[in-house]
Amino acid sequence: MSIAAVGKYLKDTPIRSLATLGRSGELAVNILKYTVSDTIALRLPLEEVATQMWKLLKVTALPALLMAVPIGAEVSVQVGGIMNQVGANSLAGAASGLGVVGQGAPMAAGLLMSGAAASAIASDLGARAIREEIEAIRVMGIDPVQRLVVPRFIAMVAIAPMLCIVIVAAGVAAGLVISANVNDVVPGSFWQSFGSFATPTDLVFSVLKSVIFAALVVLIASLRGLEAKGGPKGVANAVNASVVLSVFCIFMTNLVVSQIQMMFFPARLA
């Protein structure tokens, strides 16, 4: 690659990145505008929202359970070994509270949504885009954001807390089973330490993170899907970009939200 090509790449890439951020901001504003206005005017396509919720739940519910059990078990096994060495088996519940509820559940829900749900949304909208259905909708005077994106946005935001709660319940249950049967922890002691360290604030922030992650996933997947072009290869590129960008944004957002939580709601020590 020549020096001129490198210079052109370094010059054009920031401009394209800023343009993408601008289009993302415009799409986010339109999504919020149509969500609020259609809700107030009672024009929300509830049947479409329910259909999208069911489609998204079908591709995320079972993987959520399959991810939750190893997360809870791994926390109990890894932390249980250290606690056995220092004679603090009674704190096994605290590890599940801080690990699964605080970080494991929202991250697992976010990664599920970025992997399964984002690919489904991007592929659906991308296929419509390359078949010129999006342009046909615009010609008929219908905004594709209002007709196609908003129902998916509402559906994703609605199922995100469900996935988070399912992962919390399954992860903590798996941690309890491992602690009681492998590390010989009394269940009562497990729940006592769990309640001493995990607070309702941790659960609220966990659900809040999952909702934010859902909004980011829909925004990224919808933008990539609506802008897909170039035939089937373009749809594949849109799906790939949606998953990668969603994962990156989820990790960065989790870091920011976790820091805000620690600043204003520090962890409570028993």
Side-chain angles (χ1 to χ4, degrees):
M1 183 179 292
S2 64
I3 297 178
V6 173
K8 185 176 184 300
Y9 175 81
L10 295 176
K11 177 182 177 182
D12 294 343
T13 300
I15 297 175
R16 291 199 301 267
S17 300
L18 291 175
T20 301
L21 288 175
R23 296 195 304 273
S24 301
E26 182 182 4
L27 179 60
V29 170
N30 288 332
I31 292 174
L32 293 176
K33 179 185 69 174
Y34 285 125
T35 300
V36 173
S37 62
D38 288 357
T39 301
I40 295 175
L42 301 178
R43 291 198 307 261
L44 282 177
L46 298 180
E47 183 178 355
E48 177 68 13
V49 171
T51 301
Q52 293 300 324
M53 286 181 63
W54 176 243
K55 288 182 179 179
L56 295 174
L57 278 174
K58 284 195 299 184
V59 299
T60 55
L62 181 59
L65 285 174
L66 297 178
M67 286 184 66
V69 173
I71 290 174
E74 183 179 1
V75 170
S76 294
V77 170
Q78 295 293 331
V79 178
I82 299 175
M83 290 182 175
N84 279 331
Q85 296 178 12
V86 299
N89 285 346
S90 60
L91 296 178
S96 293
L98 297 176
V100 176
V101 178
Q103 298 295 330
M107 286 300 297
L111 293 177
L112 273 175
M113 291 184 290
S114 66
S119 59
I121 293 174
S123 60
D124 182 19
L125 296 180
R128 294 172 183 267
I130 65 171
R131 294 197 302 264
E132 298 184 352
E133 290 184 19
I134 304 298
E135 294 301 323
I137 291 176
R138 290 195 176 101
V139 169
M140 291 188 292
I142 302 173
D143 193 333
V145 175
Q146 182 180 19
R147 178 64 183 85
L148 301 175
V149 178
V150 170
R152 289 164 173 79
F153 174 80
I154 297 175
M156 182 76 86
V157 171
I159 70 169
M162 303 180 196
L163 292 176
C164 185
I165 297 299
V166 166
I167 295 173
V168 167
V172 173
L176 173 60
V177 172
I178 295 296
S179 298
N181 293 280
V182 176
N183 299 326
D184 297 325
V185 176
V186 179
S189 176
F190 178 94
W191 288 118
Q192 182 179 11
S193 62
F194 178 86
S196 298
F197 284 83
T199 64
T201 301
D202 296 322
L203 183 60
V204 169
F205 269 93
S206 181
V207 173
L208 176 62
K209 286 180 185 178
S210 67
V211 172
I212 296 174
F213 297 160
L216 288 174
V217 166
V218 175
L219 177 63
I220 294 172
S222 299
L223 181 67
R224 290 299 177 181
L226 292 174
E227 296 181 351
K229 53 187 177 181
K233 181 180 178 181
V235 177
N237 291 336
V239 172
N240 180 65
S242 298
V243 174
V244 174
L245 290 174
S246 297
V247 171
F248 173 77
C249 291
I250 284 171
F251 274 98
M252 296 303 297
T253 304
N254 181 69
L255 175 62
V256 173
V257 176
S258 297
Q259 290 300 317
I260 293 175
Q261 179 183 359
M262 292 301 297
M263 287 173 58
F264 296 100
F265 301 93
R268 185 178 70 182
L269 299 179

